[in-house]
Amino acid sequence: GQNIDQPTEMTATEGAIVQINCTYQTSGFNGLFWYQQHAGEAPTFLSYNVLDGLEEKGRFSSFLSRSKGYSYLLLKELQMKDSASYLCAVRDGDYKLSFGAGTTVTVRA
Amino acid sequence: DADVTQTPRNRITKTGKRIMLECSQTKGHDRMYWYRQDPGLGLRLIYYSFDVKDINKGEISDGYSVSRQAQAKFSLSLESAIPNQTALYFCATSPGTGDQETQYFGPGTRLLVL
């Protein structure tokens, strides 16, 4: 099975940077995903890492260290619309996803 | 039009009633999934199907059943609803075994069991 941990809540100011950490312990690893979920809406895909290192997509970047069982999602130049829950998910060898409980990010003006 | 649709979007039912949640997709994906989401627990997998003839239990399948009527349709049933099945239910699809394959989620069904 999978054990995935991420902080429950984070608060940051508009224009700032926030880093959301995710640690995992898995019985099989086949990639790590980050999703964004606004309140009451469906999760939407943000990023994917399967090899160690940093993946950058505009204001969002995601990092993976497989040896440490660690990932982070970096949100730069925060905007009010970035207020949402961010879900870390690990894919196993059967291509199933296990999700962390999510980190709620609140962006203040 | 949405690629993954769920009906109903909201449902209130009573303990002991049988209900069905439906999911349809126009993405042409073989793989479909049902999750429930509860505050503080994240998304948990109920059942998944890798093609029309394939059905697999997820981590919390007790009290639920599914039917894959076609590639595009995957239904979740609660045979006898109980209050702790009150949750937000999501259907998702994915294309196959590509490395960067992600899952695409429907809009969710909010279920309240009284």
Side-chain angles (χ1 to χ4, degrees):
Chain A
Q2 320 282 22
N3 185 23
I4 301 167
D5 291 314
Q6 50 183 129
T8 303
E9 295 180 332
M10 301 183 75
T11 301
T13 304
E14 195 173 16
I17 298 173
V18 68
Q19 177 174 314
I20 306 169
N21 296 323
C22 172
T23 58
Y24 62 89
Q25 296 173 308
T26 66
S27 57
F29 179 82
N30 192 17
L32 188 143
F33 294 80
W34 284 95
Y35 288 83
Q36 181 189 59
Q37 185 179 24
H38 285 99
E41 297 182 7
T44 55
F45 169 73
L46 282 180
S47 70
Y48 166 80
N49 295 74
V50 68
L51 300 177
D52 291 352
L54 187 68
E55 294 285 339
E56 297 187 84
K57 293 178 66 174
R59 294 189 299 115
F60 295 174
S61 303
S62 57
F63 172 83
L64 175 67
S65 170
R66 289 172 295 170
S67 62
K68 296 181 179 179
Y70 169 69
S71 174
Y72 68 73
L73 179 69
L74 194 68
L75 314 180
K76 294 177 280 190
E77 301 170 13
L78 279 172
Q79 301 176 8
M80 299 300 289
K81 67 178 181 179
D82 297 329
S83 291
S85 185
Y86 293 84
L87 314 179
C88 174
V90 175
R91 186 172 65 187
D92 66 17
D94 292 328
Y95 283 79
K96 301 193 306 297
L97 291 178
S98 295
F99 287 83
T103 300
T104 299
V105 172
T106 301
V107 181
R108 300 177 303 186
Chain B
D1 288 339
D3 295 318
V4 185
T5 57
Q6 294 183 231
T7 56
R9 294 294 312 279
N10 295 278
R11 178 75 183 267
I12 301 174
T13 191
K14 294 182 179 180
T15 296
K17 294 291 187 181
R18 181 182 187 277
I19 66 165
M20 179 181 289
L21 309 183
E22 299 189 357
C23 177
S24 294
Q25 53 115 345
T26 59
K27 299 184 78 67
H29 290 169
D30 285 327
R31 300 182 169 208
M32 299 186 74
Y33 310 80
W34 274 105
Y35 294 90
R36 64 176 281 175
Q37 188 173 40
D38 300 273
L41 293 179
L43 286 157
R44 292 182 291 166
L45 183 63
I46 305 172
Y47 270 95
Y48 61 102
S49 168
F50 283 174
D51 63 43
V52 175
K53 298 180 181 179
D54 177 75
I55 300 289
N56 303 281
K57 293 182 178 181
E59 63 178 295
I60 53 163
S61 59
D62 287 349
Y64 301 94
S65 63
V66 291
S67 173
R68 184 80 185 267
Q69 301 96 321
Q71 185 201 41
K73 296 183 182 297
F74 192 35
S75 300
L76 177 72
S77 294
L78 287 68
E79 297 299 327
S80 179
I82 56 177
N84 77 1
Q85 291 177 313
T86 292
L88 183 56
Y89 289 85
F90 286 103
C91 173
T93 75
S94 65
T97 57
D99 277 350
Q100 297 201 29
E101 162 200 324
T102 184
Q103 292 186 13
Y104 299 86
F105 287 82
T109 294
R110 192 170 297 277
L111 175 66
L112 173 62
V113 183
L114 300 174

